[in-house]
């Protein structure tokens, strides 16, 4: 399954595309950080990012889009830009009839490293490891976008459209997985904790 | 000048179109409240509202778009939907090369009633009065959208594109008006306070 992951932002918007096989191996297709200059007005910054997102969607034709679920944070100006970009990304995806799933940062960290409070370096290192890359994708927005895409494929068991969740849904995993997927995910979590994540913490 | 005012929201999005003459008289062109059902997923709710906005833009061909400037509020789920819709609205307007201006609720109230802390009933009554309507437009989102459109035309002196402001700009009025416009606006404010707004408070 091909997933487009988006770490939404007005200044830097991380975009990653991965192919994930049913056996959970993942391959990097593309990764880019879209940018818009802070001295441009907001409407035209949104156009810049939207144009970039559409170009990537049209080039790589993902089967699903995974977005970071945005929460209120202390910096109001940042959260507004992030929410605006996530609205734009959802619109563009839905108009192409692509399923959109939202994952929280801790869901992504748990899926990728086995630990919901992993730091950015741990997530980046695991993304590089999972995709067989020689270096950690930089900046962090790029690694985060790839982590989102991998997280989505793994959490849905590689079934496109399985985790189409609403922005207001409290528990997307519980709503959208079958008992078999849950068992698989539970096994994955324990494997990740005992294996890869522990190695990272050495 | 023809202005499209948008009171952004995911459940109810007020949209009003007004024609405002250089002598400041204003005429209602259209007003509608776009809705999306709460049980639809967010991406498709955004599509519903976006489709409605585009239809109105294409039908009435406004020269400028005025949006409510969104601030952080207590209800996080509401502000996220509002920010997402405002991002979508800005994108659609900017892609049509329409200038987008943001006005705060208190700027709108001050422009319309002469009092920045006017309540919804006062704003609605003044909107009806300005546009020569027999009844106050309902729901409040409709009146608020019309108030935004009138406010924009008045604050810019009826010059399309004069108040193209950034979402992060602290003082759009000071940045975009000429001394003559400022004098005009000051006269308008004192006239509104001594005249219409006082009558409303009787």
């Amino acid at each position: 399954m091909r997933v487009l992951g988006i770490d939404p932002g007005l200044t830097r918007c991380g975009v990653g595309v991965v192919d994930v096989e049913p056996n959970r191996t993942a391959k990097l297709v593309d990764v880019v950080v879209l940018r818009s200059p802070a001295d441009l007005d907001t409407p035209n910054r949104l156009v810049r990012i939207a144009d970039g997102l559409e170009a990537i969607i049209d080039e790589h034709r993902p089967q699903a889009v995974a977005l970071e679920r945005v929460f209120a944070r202390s910096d109001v100006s940042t959260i507004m830009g992030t929410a605006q970009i996530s609205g734009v990304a959802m619109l563009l995806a839905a108009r192409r009839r692509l399923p959109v799933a939202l994952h929280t940062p801790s869901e992504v960290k748990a899926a990728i490293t086995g630990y919901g409070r992993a730091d950015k370096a741990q997530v980046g290192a695991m993304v590089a490891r999972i995709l067989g890359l020689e270096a950690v994708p930089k900046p962090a927005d790029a690694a985060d976008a790839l982590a989102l895409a991998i997280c989505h494929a793994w959490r849905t068991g590689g079934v496109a459209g399985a985790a189409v969740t609403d922005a207001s849904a409290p528990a997307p995993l519980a709503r959208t997985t079958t008992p078999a997927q849950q068992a698989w995910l539970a096994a994955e979590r324990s494997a990740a904790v005992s294996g890869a994540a522990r190695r990272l913490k050495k």
Side-chain angles (χ1 to χ4, degrees), chain A:
Chain A
M1 124 184 246
R2 178 164 289 187
V3 184
L4 174 73
I6 302 174
D7 182 23
L10 202 50
T11 303
R12 288 186 311 277
C13 182
V15 186
V17 184
V18 295
D19 280 340
V20 183
E21 300 299 320
N23 70 3
R24 305 168 62 71
T25 57
K27 204 180 81 179
L28 174 67
V29 176
D30 200 359
V31 63
V32 65
V33 174
L34 304 170
R35 296 165 192 274
S36 77
D39 59 355
L40 197 63
D41 61 284
T42 303
N44 283 299
R45 296 183 76 180
L46 293 168
V47 169
R48 291 271 181 104
I49 304 287
D51 288 349
L53 285 175
E54 289 192 310
I56 291 162
I57 292 172
D58 292 341
E59 180 180 352
H60 296 299
R61 308 226 163 252
Q63 293 159 276
V65 173
L67 258 173
E68 185 173 307
R69 186 187 297 273
V70 181
F71 288 108
R73 271 173 278 180
S74 52
D75 186 342
V76 174
S77 70
T78 300
I79 196 188
M80 292 306 299
T82 305
Q84 287 163 350
I85 288 288
S86 77
V88 163
M90 283 192 254
L91 175 74
L92 300 179
R95 282 196 160 168
R96 284 165 171 74
R97 305 204 176 282
L98 289 173
V100 178
L102 303 174
H103 302 280
T104 67
S106 60
E107 286 167 347
V108 175
K109 289 170 183 173
I112 299 296
T113 72
Y115 177 52
R117 301 174 76 174
D119 63 25
K120 286 208 175 279
Q122 289 172 317
V123 171
M126 271 308 289
V127 164
R129 196 185 155 80
I130 291 163
L131 297 175
L133 308 176
E134 291 193 356
V136 175
K138 302 269 168 153
D141 316 78
D144 286 349
L146 292 168
L148 267 158
I150 296 165
C151 163
H152 178 69
W154 284 3
R155 290 186 83 201
T156 58
V159 181
V164 181
T165 60
D166 183 9
S168 63
L173 185 62
R175 288 201 336 176
T176 54
T177 49
T178 63
Q181 287 174 328
Q182 282 167 12
W184 185 21
L185 290 162
E188 160 60 29
R189 274 195 293 272
S190 72
V193 169
S194 63
R198 206 167 48 195
R199 275 193 295 278
L200 266 169
K201 285 177 206 151
K202 267 182 196 165

